[in-house]
Amino acid sequence: MITAYTPGANNLLSMSNAIRLGYRRSLRFNFGILAGFAAVMVLCMIFSAVLYQLLPKIKIVMQVLGAVYMLYLAWKVWKSSADLHTENGKEASVLSGMILQFANPKIYIYAITAISLYILPVYHSPWAMVGFTAILTLIGASGSFMWALLGSAFCKILAKHTKLVNLVMALLLIYCAIALFL
C-alpha cells in the first residue's frame, strides 16, 4: 500500500493529467497504467525466480536507466504549461500509460519484493499466482487513480500556483531518482 500511494512516476503524472484534463479525461491514461501494471506483474510473477537471482547483476543498470527516466519526467513536469486546456485536443493515451509501466523501476521493485518475499515462499498453485497477481495489480495501480482524483479535485487551487506545484512535483521526481541509489 505504501508503494502504491507514495510519489512516483505514475502518481505524479496521473495527478498532472487530472489537473490539466479533469478526472474523467485522465482516466484513459490511468487505465493504461492499470493495463501496463498488469502486464508487468504477470511478467514479474512468471520470471520472478530468475529476476531475483539476476537482480544484483543488473541492479546498477536498472538504477541508472530508472534515474535518467525520472529526471526526464521531472524536466517535462517542470516545463509543463499552466494552461489547463490540452493543446490540439491532445490527451494522454492508454498506450502512453502502458508504456510508462515498462520503464518504471518502482513497479519492478514492488513486484519482485512482494512476489519473492510474500507469495512464492508460501503459495505454489497457479490459481494462487493468478489471484495474487490480480490483487497486487489492483493495489499497485490504485495509487494513480487516487492521485488523479486529488489532482482534479484541487485543480483550481493548483492552477493558481502552477509553477510552484510543478517545481514540487519535479523535485519529488528528482528525489525518487536519487533514492534509487540510497
Side-chain angles (χ1 to χ4, degrees):
M1 292 297 279
I2 292 170
T3 304
Y5 291 94
T6 55
N10 287 345
N11 295 342
L12 295 175
L13 290 174
S14 292
M15 185 171 119
S16 178
N17 280 324
I19 289 168
R20 288 184 311 107
L21 306 169
Y23 186 73
R24 197 173 66 102
R25 289 178 59 203
S26 72
L27 283 177
R28 289 183 356 175
F29 180 73
N30 287 313
F31 282 122
I33 287 174
L34 179 62
F37 208 102
V40 169
M41 290 304 298
V42 168
L43 291 173
C44 285
M45 184 62 80
I46 293 169
F47 298 109
S48 185
V50 174
L51 291 176
Y52 190 68
Q53 291 175 355
L54 292 176
L55 191 59
K57 297 173 187 165
I58 62 171
K59 180 181 177 185
I60 191 68
V61 173
M62 290 179 65
Q63 285 175 315
V64 169
L65 292 175
V68 167
Y69 182 68
M70 286 189 195
L71 292 173
Y72 166 76
L73 291 176
W75 176 255
K76 294 294 277 182
V77 167
W78 169 247
K79 288 299 187 180
S80 66
S81 74
D83 184 13
L84 293 180
H85 303 290
T86 57
E87 300 158 5
N88 301 327
K90 186 178 178 184
E91 294 182 16
S93 68
V94 171
L95 185 60
S96 65
M98 285 180 67
I99 291 171
L100 172 63
Q101 303 322 294
F102 291 95
N104 188 348
K106 185 177 168 185
I107 291 175
Y108 293 101
I109 293 167
Y110 166 77
I112 292 168
T113 302
I115 292 167
S116 63
L117 293 177
Y118 301 113
I119 298 169
L120 291 178
V122 180
Y123 300 96
H124 304 287
S125 79
W127 290 110
M129 302 300 170
V130 168
F132 280 115
T133 299
I135 290 168
L136 289 172
T137 297
L138 292 174
I139 290 170
S142 66
S144 67
F145 286 90
M146 182 59 68
W147 277 69
L149 185 61
L150 292 172
S152 66
F154 296 110
C155 72
K156 289 185 175 144
I157 294 169
L158 296 173
K160 290 179 184 177
H161 307 288
T162 302
K163 280 298 183 189
L164 178 62
V165 170
N166 287 353
L167 174 64
V168 169
M169 289 196 303
L171 289 173
L172 286 171
L173 282 167
I174 291 169
Y175 169 76
C176 291
I178 293 168
L180 290 175
F181 298 98
L182 301 178

